[in-house]
Every structure is written in structure tokens, then in C-alpha cells.
Amino acid sequence: MAPQSQSPTTGASIIARTLKDLSVAVIFGIVGVPVSDIAEQAINIGVRFIGFRNEQAASYAATAYGYLTGRPGVCLVVGGPGVLHAVAGVGNASANNFPLLLLSGSIETHLVTKGAFQETDSVSLLSPQTKISLRPSSIEMLPSMIANAYRTAFYGRPGPAFVDLPADLINDPIDPDDIENISDRPKISDSPKSAADPKRLSQVASLLKSAQAPLIVLGKGTAYAQAENAIQYFVNQTSIPFLPSPMGKGVVPDSHPQNVSSARSVAMKTADVVLLLGARLNWIMHYGEAPKWNAEAKFVQVDISSEEMGRNAGYAELSLLGDVGVVITQLSQALKGWSYSTSSDHDQQLAKAKQKNEHISWLAARDTSIPLTYAYAFSIIKTALHTLSPPSTGGICYVAEGANTMDISRSIFPLEHPRLRLDAGTFATMGVGLPYAIAAWQAYNAPNAQASSGPAPRKKIVAIEGDSAFGFSGMEVETMARMGMDVLIFVINNSGIYFGDSDSAEDFGVKREKTARGKQGLRSWALGFETRYEKLAEACGGVGYFVRSPEELEKATVEGFRANVPVIVNVIIQSGKVEEPSFGWQVTPKKREKVSRL
């Protein structure tokens, strides 16, 4: 019997081997002509491939994976429409500064400009949106070009990188004599870290010492940089109050006495020196402008990007360029022996505001109305989850999206460890919830998991979704089920976008302030009344719960947490008041002008 001939080496195997050599553990994407064999070759050598139902979701997952692990998430798609769908993830990665490597197939080199199947000039399309956008012209260039794009995505300020892969380079057999020319295996170390200018450090230390109301703002950049140990030491040493961004929560435990999240407005309006760590003065931080902030405040930025210095209200003259973990260690040395007085009048003012607002939140969580309120529903979920996995264990990673759902939940679920909350982020992107949950499951729970946060070896991924937000990527529940991911999903269902409503509510005897159906038909914010989203989990092999009462919600939370399949808990809550929708922290110039006259 004649021996079987070995399959010829192709560009697909070279690409897969390059990714493996770069320590890529997982690829997110959707296969098709001509990229299918790249995924197959990757699987053959131990790289996991997670096939999604939409390239948009795959690209979102890759961005979150990059954030959680500190190395670029890799997304593989087909050309043309596949790239167009994945552009959503490119934009999300760029706005959030998440490292992403997008790989796409494209037409054969000799067919360019001929109008071939799904022909798109993807390099020109993505060049303005990425840190680097490349198309190799020969197989010999594949390893070095992919490695260069991968390195560029996470060196310096993280962001997206793109490589367009022609079909002939992917599929054509390689002459054995030419394989030696492409045998070099790329090796890339972690991104170099830089320190701040000592003279500026001394000036910033003096400024902080003279401040009457200093404040630290912890952005998600501190979590990405894995700088929690250095920052916790700094906060403990200086006793300066801190305010975490939604994804900066847990870098310093939420339970820390200097956390002023529940006195956010007062802290911002009274701060005179603000130390921004891994955060930007963009819309989330109100640009550093009055009336949200003290008009006289000096903002000291700590960032790895010099272009960020002096942006909006930033105090460029004293901003510190460098890795946040390195710089804050330097600053700790410069402030050795000094601490802010926790008995100052300002600190007492913050303490009173915290006590007042926490009492208001406590009262809101005890509104036992049916349908449930946001606050009451979240209180039930939190109590059940904390009984099963106390925050100190770091055993739960939360994902949240949907305007009201995300805004309200971020103040209710405390975190004691970093990188355990993902949300819509700087780009306020809807549709990220389920893809982010998939990325978090892979990062924390897969056999080749590459992220760590907190002492728990395994983490339950809990996605808290608005009913509108869930609709953007709901079919990814099937992806979770197929890949064996036991994600717990809560759909907070008010039957609409922002506030929701429907005239069919009257059939259930539910009183509404206004109905969604007027003389002209359904209003723009209306969704189907009490849509049975939980059925999707059941259809995919998971478990679904439809709940109205506190008892039903508590039972579903406990059973859902313990399940080893995807679970959807469809939580019916009250609709809100019909008013102009906006994010809770967003203030337009017109609104700002009105406030300033008060």
C-alpha cells in the first residue's frame, strides 16, 4: 500500500502558525471563502476558533478580549461585507483604545479592479480607522507583516490593526524550496513601559500637597495596564479620595473608604486638583468643564499618549507621560511621608454626600412595586449573587449594556477586583453585551485562559442587558451554547428603548403614565410588549426563565448561576417616564447653559 502524500503547505498554514507563535490562544470570527482554511489550520495546531453569527459581534468580542488580556484579540472575517460588518469592532477598539488585530480574506491578487466577487479595497477603507492597515504582496511577507500589525495594535496606545489577506496567498501551495524563506517565527515581548519626567513629578507632588480638595479619577486604562497594586498602594499611602469610571471599578476595591462614587457630583464640583489615571476628559468625564466640574480645577493627566495631554480642560504643563503603573509608583515615592487629611472639612462634606445618596439608593431598592423597578430588581439579583459568590472572591464578571440598565446597575453591583466589569464604554456601543460575555468567558474560564483578576480560579459571567440592547446580538446565545459557555443573562424588559410601553399593557391591567400607541401608531421607542426572550435560550439548549415577582427572580438567579448552560432570565419591569432620552452623565451645551443660569 503506497503511503499517503502529505498535504502541501499553503499560506493558510503559515498564517495559523504565525498566530500560534505570537501566543494567540483564540480567534473570533466567521469563516467563508477564502479564510476557512486559516481557521481549520489554527484549530489543528491548538488555537481555539469561536465562530459567531455576525461579524460585528465577533469583532466586539475580540476587542474585549484584548482589553482583558492585554494582548490583541484576533478577529478573522471574509472580505467585502465581512469587513464592513467588522468595521463596528474597529471603531469600538479605536474609541476605547482596545488592542485588536483584524484579519480578512480578499480576492486574488490578479483580480484586483476587475469587479471580482465581494471585491473591496479594504486597506483604503480601514487605513484612517486603524493604527496600521496592510496587504502583503507575497507569502514570504506573511509572518513579518502579521507580527508587525499585532505588535502595533498593543504597543504604545492600544488600538486596531488590519491585515488584508489575498485568496491566492491563503490557498496556493508553497514550493518546498521556498518554505525556508518564510520559516522565521516571530517573537514579540510585552509593550515597553516608560516613566515620567522627574521634574514634572516633583511639581505634581507639590500641587497635590497644596490641594484643599484633591481627587483621583481611575479610568479603564488603569485596569488595562494591570496597575492595581501600585494604585492601591498610592491611595492607601495618600488617602486621596478616588472616583472610578464604570470600567475602572475594582482597581481599588469599591469598599475602600476613600471611594466617593456615591458622592460623585459633589466630588467633581468641589475638586481643585484632579489626578487623571488612565482616563480621558471626554464626554464621560464631561470634558472637565463646569458646571459638572469645579471651573477652577487643575487636571493632571497621566497617560501613555502625549497627544492626550492638554486635551479639553487638561493641565498640559503638569501632565505626566508614561505607563500609569510606573508613573504612580514614581509619584508614591515623591509623596512619601505625606497624606491628605481625612478629617478635613472637604472630606467631611464628601462623607455627608455619600451617606445621603446611599440612603436614597437604599430606599429605591425597597420599592416593592409590581412590575419591579430597576433598583428593586437589581437589589434582588445582587443579594442572590453575593450569597453565592461574595465580591471579595472575585468570582463574578459583570457585563452591562442598555442606557438605563447600564447606568443604574453600575452603582449597584460593587467590585473588589479589577477587570470584572465591561460595558458600552467610550463609544457607547450597543450590541457589545453578549460578545463581551463570550470574550470574558474565554479570557477567564477556557482551558487556555489568558486573563486573571481576583483570587477565584473560575468566574461566572453575568450579562445584564436592556431588552433593546439584547436585540442587537441575541443570536450569540447559540454561540455560547455551542461553545459550552455557561453565561447567565438577565434581560431587563420594559418593552422598549429607554422607557418602553405598549397599549397591550392594558390587557394585563398594568397602569402606565402614557401608552406607546397613539393616533399615529406605535411610538419610536416601543418594542414588543413582554417579548419572551427567554425562549431563545431554550431553543439553543440553554434554560430560560420568565419572571415578574421578587420570588421568581431570586429563584431564577440562584438556579441560573448554578447552571452549566447559557441561561436567560427575562425580567419584567416597569416602564419609565416618557421624557427626552439621554445617558445619565451626558450634558449637552444647551443644557449646560440652562444650568449655569440657575
Side-chain angles (χ1 to χ4, degrees), residues 300-325:
V300 178
Q301 298 159 285
V302 177
D303 204 286
I304 58 175
S305 173
S306 58
E307 291 85 356
E308 195 66 32
M309 305 306 184
R311 187 180 183 192
N312 296 325
Y315 198 52
E317 293 84 354
L318 290 180
S319 289
L320 302 173
L321 180 66
D323 175 83
V324 65

Side-chain angles (χ1 to χ4, degrees), residues 230-278:
I231 292 173
Q232 288 175 25
Y233 181 88
F234 181 79
V235 170
N236 290 331
Q237 171 194 339
T238 64
S239 297
I240 297 175
F242 69 91
L243 177 67
S245 72
M247 287 175 61
K249 286 167 64 68
V251 169
V252 180
D254 279 346
S255 60
H256 196 285
Q258 296 310 112
N259 181 8
V260 292
S261 291
S262 54
R264 185 175 188 267
S265 295
V266 173
M268 291 165 62
K269 287 180 179 178
T270 57
D272 57 358
V273 176
V274 182
L275 183 63
L276 285 165
L277 303 181

Side-chain angles (χ1 to χ4, degrees), residues 565-586:
V565 294
V567 173
I568 296 178
V569 182
N570 189 2
V571 187
I572 303 302
I573 67 163
Q574 298 176 12
S575 64
K577 294 181 179 179
V578 179
E579 55 191 19
E580 182 181 356
S582 66
F583 285 104
W585 54 76
Q586 191 175 18

Side-chain angles (χ1 to χ4, degrees), residues 224-416:
Y224 173 79
Q226 301 187 20
E228 55 268 21
N229 291 336
I231 292 173
Q232 288 175 25
Y233 181 88
F234 181 79
V235 170
N236 290 331
Q237 171 194 339
T238 64
S239 297
I240 297 175
F242 69 91
L243 177 67
S245 72
M247 287 175 61
K249 286 167 64 68
V251 169
V252 180
D254 279 346
S255 60
H256 196 285
Q258 296 310 112
N259 181 8
V260 292
S261 291
S262 54
R264 185 175 188 267
S265 295
V266 173
M268 291 165 62
K269 287 180 179 178
T270 57
D272 57 358
V273 176
V274 182
L275 183 63
L276 285 165
L277 303 181
R280 290 174 286 171
L281 288 172
N282 54 21
W283 68 278
I284 292 177
M285 288 298 163
H286 309 286
Y287 316 104
E289 299 174 356
K292 288 289 185 179
W293 288 95
N294 176 6
E296 303 302 319
K298 291 182 172 65
F299 291 89
V300 178
Q301 298 159 285
V302 177
D303 204 286
I304 58 175
S305 173
S306 58
E307 291 85 356
E308 195 66 32
M309 305 306 184
R311 187 180 183 192
N312 296 325
Y315 198 52
E317 293 84 354
L318 290 180
S319 289
L320 302 173
L321 180 66
D323 175 83
V324 65
V326 175
V327 173
I328 207 64
T329 299
Q330 291 179 287
L331 200 52
S332 290
Q333 289 297 316
L335 289 170
K336 190 174 183 179
W338 173 86
S339 65
Y340 171 67
S341 174
T342 55
S343 61
S344 67
D345 291 342
H346 177 250
D347 205 67
Q348 296 304 308
Q349 182 183 9
L350 292 175
K352 288 180 181 179
K354 287 170 65 174
Q355 185 178 21
K356 176 184 175 181
N357 293 333
E358 286 168 5
H359 182 67
I360 292 172
S361 298
W362 182 85
L363 290 174
R366 275 143 189 81
D367 180 352
T368 58
S369 303
I370 301 294
L372 304 170
T373 64
Y374 279 106
Y376 188 32
F378 289 151
S379 177
I380 295 165
I381 294 169
K382 179 181 76 171
T383 300
L385 290 178
H386 285 188
T387 300
L388 295 162
S389 179
S392 60
T393 66
I396 298 176
C397 177
Y398 294 96
V399 179
E401 68 167 336
N404 296 329
T405 299
M406 182 175 65
D407 284 353
I408 298 170
S409 69
R410 67 188 166 97
S411 63
I412 291 179
F413 295 92
L415 296 179
E416 298 296 289

Side-chain angles (χ1 to χ4, degrees), residues 107-130:
I107 61 169
E108 290 86 345
T109 306
H110 69 279
L111 293 178
V112 172
T113 74
K114 285 192 168 186
F117 177 67
Q118 296 185 338
E119 179 178 359
T120 305
D121 185 358
S122 299
V123 172
S124 296
L125 174 69
L126 290 175
S127 289
Q129 313 301 329
T130 58

Side-chain angles (χ1 to χ4, degrees), residues 371-565:
L372 304 170
T373 64
Y374 279 106
Y376 188 32
F378 289 151
S379 177
I380 295 165
I381 294 169
K382 179 181 76 171
T383 300
L385 290 178
H386 285 188
T387 300
L388 295 162
S389 179
S392 60
T393 66
I396 298 176
C397 177
Y398 294 96
V399 179
E401 68 167 336
N404 296 329
T405 299
M406 182 175 65
D407 284 353
I408 298 170
S409 69
R410 67 188 166 97
S411 63
I412 291 179
F413 295 92
L415 296 179
E416 298 296 289
H417 303 279
R419 296 175 296 282
L420 292 180
R421 179 183 165 88
L422 297 164
D423 64 25
T426 305
F427 219 29
T429 312
M430 292 298 100
V432 298
L434 300 194
Y436 277 14
I438 291 171
W441 195 98
Q442 173 66 32
Y444 289 127
N445 298 328
N448 53 2
Q450 294 187 315
S452 63
S453 183
R458 191 180 191 282
K459 306 190 187 302
K460 189 70 177 185
I461 311 303
V462 176
I464 303 173
E465 300 277 305
D467 53 343
S468 172
F470 178 79
F472 281 80
S473 55
M475 273 307 298
E476 301 308 333
V477 172
E478 188 277 329
T479 304
M480 296 174 181
R482 176 171 23 98
M483 302 304 297
M485 298 178 173
D486 56 334
V487 178
L488 173 56
I489 304 165
F490 294 92
V491 178
I492 309 303
N493 189 346
N494 65 349
S495 302
I497 302 171
Y498 294 101
F499 22 77
D501 214 342
S502 172
D503 64 345
S504 59
E506 303 305 322
D507 297 337
F508 292 83
V510 180
K511 295 181 179 179
R512 303 296 199 206
E513 183 172 330
K514 291 186 179 181
T515 59
R517 189 183 297 275
K519 293 181 180 179
Q520 290 78 34
L522 283 173
R523 305 313 305 170
S524 60
W525 63 77
L527 297 175
F529 182 69
E530 296 192 356
T531 301
R532 301 297 297 266
Y533 297 109
E534 80 283 357
K535 297 293 185 183
L536 181 56
E538 297 171 5
C540 298
V543 177
Y545 297 89
F546 182 81
V547 305
R548 297 181 187 276
S549 70
E551 295 79 13
E552 290 172 336
L553 179 54
E554 181 183 11
K555 180 175 183 289
T557 301
V558 172
E559 292 181 359
F561 184 91
R562 292 171 174 165
N564 58 6
V565 294

